[in-house]
Amino acid sequence: MKREFTWGPPYWQPGFGQEDIYVTSLSFEMEPDQYGEEGGCPQDITQIPFEDILDHYSVYVTGFYGELNQASALTCYQEFGSSSIQDIRNLRTLAGKRFYAVPCNGEDGGPEYKIIIE
């Protein structure tokens, strides 16, 4: 996934579920030729490497820009949230970088993948 830009600063949103949260939005391009992203599109984001973003930065999806995602073949628009402003700040360091998976052998010799950020 290639981060092209972010829009809007992180902001505080009261009362989402049981706690107040901070949110930010990112747009990114699917890279169908990358491992794990085969067949991915803005309407059907692949689990690899997207789930790794959520896990690595301790954030979750709070918004899906349906109209924008429907209108695009490659660019995805998502809103991410966390109860920690630092998690949101850390996530925003992805702006302008590539975040993708490459296959490798696991400790048991089976197939796995590792995440590359560049």
Side-chain angles (χ1 to χ4, degrees):
M1 296 181 168
K2 183 171 31 174
R3 271 76 187 127
E4 286 297 316
F5 62 91
T6 63
W7 72 91
Y11 67 93
W12 173 79
Q13 180 173 316
F16 185 82
Q18 298 178 348
E19 62 186 347
D20 295 341
I21 63 167
Y22 296 92
V23 298
T24 192
S25 296
L26 292 177
S27 66
F28 51 91
E29 290 183 7
M30 299 296 297
E31 294 185 82
D33 58 335
Q34 287 295 324
Y35 176 79
E37 296 187 56
E38 302 89 348
C41 66
Q43 301 82 32
D44 186 23
I45 299 171
T46 58
Q47 295 295 310
I48 299 172
F50 190 74
E51 289 291 329
D52 293 280
I53 292 171
L54 303 179
D55 294 343
H56 185 79
Y57 293 97
S58 301
V59 296
Y60 49 91
V61 174
T62 56
F64 182 79
Y65 297 93
E67 287 183 26
L68 289 172
N69 288 316
Q70 281 298 111
S72 178
L74 290 178
T75 304
C76 303
Y77 302 88
Q78 297 281 297
E79 181 183 81
F80 298 89
S82 175
S83 59
S84 166
I85 187 65
Q86 192 58 49
D87 291 341
I88 296 298
R89 288 179 180 139
N90 292 341
L91 173 70
R92 290 174 59 90
T93 65
L94 286 178
K97 296 180 181 175
R98 287 184 69 206
F99 186 102
Y100 60 97
V102 294
C104 63
N105 290 325
E107 291 180 15
D108 62 358
E112 288 190 14
Y113 66 93
K114 64 181 179 177
I115 295 297
I116 307 292
I117 300 172
E118 54 183 26

